[in-house]
């Protein structure tokens, strides 16, 4: 997938940002508060439908703007020319795909595959399960055509069961929602397990290339209910305790996957840089699975990739990215010695200052 043109206006401090991107490396350089992360956020929004730093899209609207707009012209995984437009005024989306209005955000962003690596990405390895579930589910959103509809069915049934639990609903009433949760949740479990299996080999390869000192790692998967039971049985058996708590404690909404480290090493033993690198590798593996399944690399949008990384490790990540031939957008505050070689290989450098963008090369 390649982005040719990115236009962003009214998103945080960005004003009429207009970038013609190169198919290879693109560097966005600017001081603190210039608007670099906001550009990565705009790309992320086009591929994920949400920001990585604000819960609501309205928070992204510039304080002096009536709304924000993002327009992207790109080639999708099949090499077709596509256009995506996201507009937001308080409380309302206005969405266009290839010039036509679209009502569902998920339909609009479907063809746009961007793997974003941002400074908080460390949370993927060290943070709560929610981020890791979202990571798997985003991959499935792209590679399993039925995933989104099934995941919606599951969420609806879960919400209804939780409401029933709090309202003191009896067994027969809960059963209808439990059956729906079991049917859709069972499918989600199968897809997630497959996704973790597919991530294994590229994750190990990425870690060997980027962080070989860590040793042999693997991925483990937990589906969110006891191994010896079906989901329906687990829900029925858990009713008493779920009623007390007022929510469902079993199901794929409690599923997780983890990086299993070698020997006695625990997650919390990893240094900041190692945690970041492990998380970067998970994103590289995610992209590799997309490439396998869709036939094209996604766009990589990396915000402040260099923070917490020494020159050797940063160089390995950049070499990995370059070897893919994928399109890469990288932000950095200044071009220090670690970036010398990459500046020469970057076909395009943009300067970002006070919400405005100007090409340097
Ligand atoms: N809703 C908003 N409206 C207007 N400006 C905003 C809004 N939200 C954030 N900003 C401002 O936008 C600017 C750009 O922020 P951004 O995070 O993109 O900068 P950055 O270039 O990534 O900086 P850093 O190098 O510090 O990470 C900041 O000055 C911030 O205060
Ligand atoms: Mg930033």
């Amino acid at each position: 997938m390649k982005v040719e043109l990115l236009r962003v206006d009214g998103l945080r401090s960005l004003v009429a940002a207009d970038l013609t991107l190169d198919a290879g490396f693109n560097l966005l350089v600017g001081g603190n508060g210039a608007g670099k992360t906001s550009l990565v956020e705009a790309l992320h929004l086009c591929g994920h439908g949400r920001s990585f730093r604000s819960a609501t899209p309205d928070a992204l609207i510039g304080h002096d703007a009536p709304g924000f707009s993002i327009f992207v012209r790109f080639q999708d995984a099949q090499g077709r020319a596509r256009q995506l437009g996201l507009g937001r005024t308080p409380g309302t989306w206005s969405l266009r795909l290839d010039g036509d209005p679209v009502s569902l955000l998920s339909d609009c962003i479907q063809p746009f595959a961007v793997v974003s690596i941002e400074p908080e990405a460390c949370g993927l390895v060290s943070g709560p399960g929610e981020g890791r579930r979202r990571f798997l589910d985003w991959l499935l959103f792209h590679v399993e055509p039925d995933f989104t509809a099934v995941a919606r069915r599951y969420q609806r049934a879960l919400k209804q069961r939780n409401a029933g639990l709090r309202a003191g609903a009896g067994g027969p009433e809960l059963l209808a929602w439990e059956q729906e949760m079991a049917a859709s949740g069972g499918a989600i479990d199968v897809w997630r397990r497959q996704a973790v299996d597919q991530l294994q080999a590229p994750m190990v390869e990425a870690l060997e290339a980027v962080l070989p000192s860590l040793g042999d790692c693997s991925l483990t998967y937990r589906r969110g209910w006891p191994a010896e039971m079906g989901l329906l049985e687990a829900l029925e058996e858990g009713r008493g305790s779920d009623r007390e708590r007022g929510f469902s404690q079993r199901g794929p909404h409690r599923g997780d996957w983890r990086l299993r480290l070698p020997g006695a090493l625990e997650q919390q033993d990893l240094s900041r840089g190692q945690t970041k690198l492990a998380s970067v590798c998970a994103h590289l593996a995610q992209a590799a699975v997309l490439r396998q399944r869709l036939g094209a690399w996604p766009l990589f949008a990396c915000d402040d990739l260099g923070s917490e990384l020494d020159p050797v490790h940063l160089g390995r990540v950049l070499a990995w990215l370059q070897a893919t031939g994928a399109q890469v957008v990288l932000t950095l505050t200044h071009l220090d010695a670690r970036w010398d070689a990459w500046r020469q290989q970057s076909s395009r450098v943009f300067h970002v200052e006070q919400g405005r963008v100007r090409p340097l090369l």
Side-chain angles (χ1 to χ4, degrees), residues 11-14 30-39 41 53 58-64 303-304 333 352:
L11 189 145
R12 300 197 190 273
S13 66
L14 294 173
N32 295 134
K36 306 177 300 294
T37 301
S38 308
L39 287 164
E41 210 173 9
R53 56 176 176 173
D58 286 350
L60 276 63
I61 298 175
H63 296 143
D64 301 327
D303 187 29
D304 216 357
T333 52
V352 189

Side-chain angles (χ1 to χ4, degrees), residues 27 306 314 318 330 332 334-343:
L27 301 188
L314 175 64
L318 293 172
L330 292 152
L332 54 156
H334 59 289
L335 287 156
D336 61 31
R338 292 179 307 170
W339 291 92
D340 280 349
W342 301 99
R343 188 197 160 115

